[in-house]
Amino acid sequence: MDKFRRGFARSAACVALISGMLLAPALAQSAIDEIAKYGGPDRMDRLVAGAKKEGALTLYTATPVEDVMAITKAFETKYGIPVTVWRGSSEDVLHRAVTEIKAGRNEVDVIETNGPELEALHREGVLQPVESPVMSDIYPDAVPQARDWVGSRLNIITAAYNTNLVKEADLPKTWQDLLDPRWSGKIGLEAEAYDWMATVAATFPSEKEGNDFFRQLAAANGLSLRKGHSLLTQLTASGEVPFALTTYLYKADQMHKDGAPINWYALGQSVARINGLGVARTAQHPNAAVLFQDFTLTDGQKILADRGFTPTNVKLVPLPEGLQVRVVDPSSTLDNLPKWRDTFNAAVKGQ
């Protein structure tokens, strides 16, 4: 889940090198547009009939193997359309999709990866806008204006605490409460939470006030920096870190339900990163591609929820009660990650 950060510079360099390329569509673009944007009452019937005639689908994905296979197998069972899957890191999916299309190798139908990489693909013009009635059911911040990709799940980052060491009554009610000396030496933070801090800082009256708060917090009470959200969650459960600011909600909740002395806690708005998918403009199997996107946003949402993810179709799977979410803007991540890193390091590490 953290892959968009690791190697992100390499992904950005890849995009810069191939910008300005010319696409070589596999099918007439007007035909793909018609399929992707058709909204008649027989839309689903037409998609299914067209997809079965095409008889195949190729998916490039950065999703873990077991999770993507759960979706593709269910799709194959429902529609009888075999799915060929190529899996790689988020930066590798970005690189392969764009360079292949540039070379006229129009193999990929659907691209599934992290939000920033999907936004990079949008900027390269390789994704096909899709009009689907299910879009109205998706968490609004997971549907970009261009609609050439859509978020299928949220990776929600929230606080967590060790229930043996921190009483529920003592939990902070506001960010400022963390400046109390009682929290000295007790707060953990993921060591590269650049986008998280920038997003939280934006919830303060001004970005400067937000960044100044984290500088004050680090100076007053210290921050235990740990590499990896999962490690930080485990250390919170073990008691080494009594209160962590940046754990994945699903992991803390999973460990809580398994009996570990940990529980998640929403301090203000919880930050969320988007994972999603888009249809390639040069898809060889456009009916199957649009059908698969719709399937992921409907039937697939319950599969994702059963596997511990937070789906974006809030009509089918509502967000946890009382949780307010603020999504990291993928476009801002592309444009501002180096600045966010420098601000984080200056505030939290004093570098």
Side-chain angles (χ1 to χ4, degrees):
M1 289 183 179
D2 292 331
K3 288 184 178 179
F4 94 90
R5 227 172 34 207
R6 299 194 297 270
F8 193 88
R10 183 153 59 97
S11 297
C14 161
V15 172
L17 287 172
I18 58 182
S19 61
M21 68 186 185
L22 296 176
L23 301 182
L27 299 175
Q29 190 60 56
S30 60
I32 297 178
D33 282 341
E34 181 181 359
I35 292 167
K37 297 178 181 179
Y38 182 73
D42 61 341
R43 175 181 179 272
M44 186 58 65
D45 291 338
R46 287 177 55 160
L47 284 176
V48 172
K52 289 185 175 182
K53 185 176 181 180
E54 292 163 355
L57 176 75
T58 297
L59 170 69
Y60 289 180
T61 182
T63 299
V65 173
E66 297 82 2
D67 301 311
V68 72
M69 294 304 291
I71 300 286
T72 56
K73 290 299 183 185
F75 178 79
E76 290 175 342
T77 299
K78 183 169 184 175
Y79 295 113
I81 300 165
V83 182
T84 298
V85 176
W86 182 86
R87 186 190 176 278
S89 67
S90 56
E91 59 267 22
D92 287 342
V93 168
L94 170 63
H95 180 271
R96 178 167 179 164
V98 179
T99 53
E100 284 188 352
I101 292 172
K102 177 183 177 181
R105 291 175 55 200
N106 303 309
E107 297 181 7
V108 63
D109 297 308
V110 177
I111 305 163
E112 184 179 56
T113 186
N114 300 326
E117 280 77 11
L118 286 165
E119 182 61 23
L121 291 166
H122 157 73
R123 294 183 182 187
E124 290 302 319
V126 304
L127 298 177
Q128 169 65 47
V130 175
E131 296 296 332
S132 169
V134 76
M135 294 292 188
S136 63
D137 299 333
I138 304 302
Y139 190 78
D141 288 344
V143 184
Q145 186 174 4
R147 297 198 173 204
D148 56 355
W149 64 271
V150 59
S152 56
R153 66 182 191 269
L154 300 175
N155 293 323
I156 297 178
I157 302 170
T158 191
Y161 63 101
N162 184 287
T163 55
N164 291 334
L165 301 176
V166 177
K167 297 179 181 179
E168 186 175 356
D170 293 335
L171 289 169
K173 303 299 187 295
T174 69
W175 289 104
Q176 295 297 327
D177 288 347
L178 289 174
L179 297 176
D180 190 297
R182 76 168 67 181
W183 294 105
S184 179
K186 297 180 179 180
I187 303 172
L189 183 67
E190 207 283 325
E192 296 179 353
Y194 315 137
D195 58 330
W196 174 86
M197 195 184 94
T199 305
V200 171
T203 68
F204 282 67
S206 72
E207 184 178 342
K208 181 180 183 302
E209 288 182 57
N211 292 331
D212 286 346
F213 164 77
F214 284 105
R215 189 175 292 107
Q216 294 168 21
L217 180 61
N221 287 332
L223 291 170
S224 178
L225 300 180
R226 305 303 175 109
K227 183 69 175 293
H229 297 82
S230 295
L231 174 62
L232 185 58
T233 309
Q234 292 165 1
L235 294 176
T236 304
S238 72
E240 185 170 336
V241 176
F243 186 83
L245 292 174
T246 49
T247 65
Y248 282 128
L249 182 150
Y250 86 92
K251 189 65 176 178
D253 189 51
Q254 183 182 75
M255 295 178 73
H256 171 73
K257 289 176 179 177
D258 287 342
I262 186 174
N263 204 356
W264 66 271
Y265 180 67
L267 180 59
Q269 292 179 313
S270 296
V271 174
R273 297 171 181 155
I274 300 175
N275 286 77
L277 70 168
V279 173
R281 290 181 65 87
T282 54
Q284 294 263 11
H285 311 103
N287 287 284
V290 175
L291 184 64
F292 182 80
Q293 179 171 285
D294 267 26
F295 179 84
T296 302
L297 298 174
T298 52
D299 294 27
Q301 297 287 279
K302 295 179 180 179
I303 296 172
L304 289 172
D306 288 343
R307 300 185 71 80
F309 293 102
T310 302
T312 56
N313 190 324
V314 292
K315 182 177 180 180
L316 285 177
V317 187
L319 293 176
E321 186 176 353
L323 187 71
Q324 295 180 322
V325 173
R326 191 179 183 96
V327 173
V328 179
D329 179 18
S331 181
S332 294
T333 301
L334 279 182
D335 296 333
N336 298 313
L337 192 64
K339 182 185 78 171
W340 291 349
R341 180 191 60 229
D342 292 344
T343 301
F344 179 92
N345 289 338
V348 173
K349 301 179 182 179
Q351 297 178 354

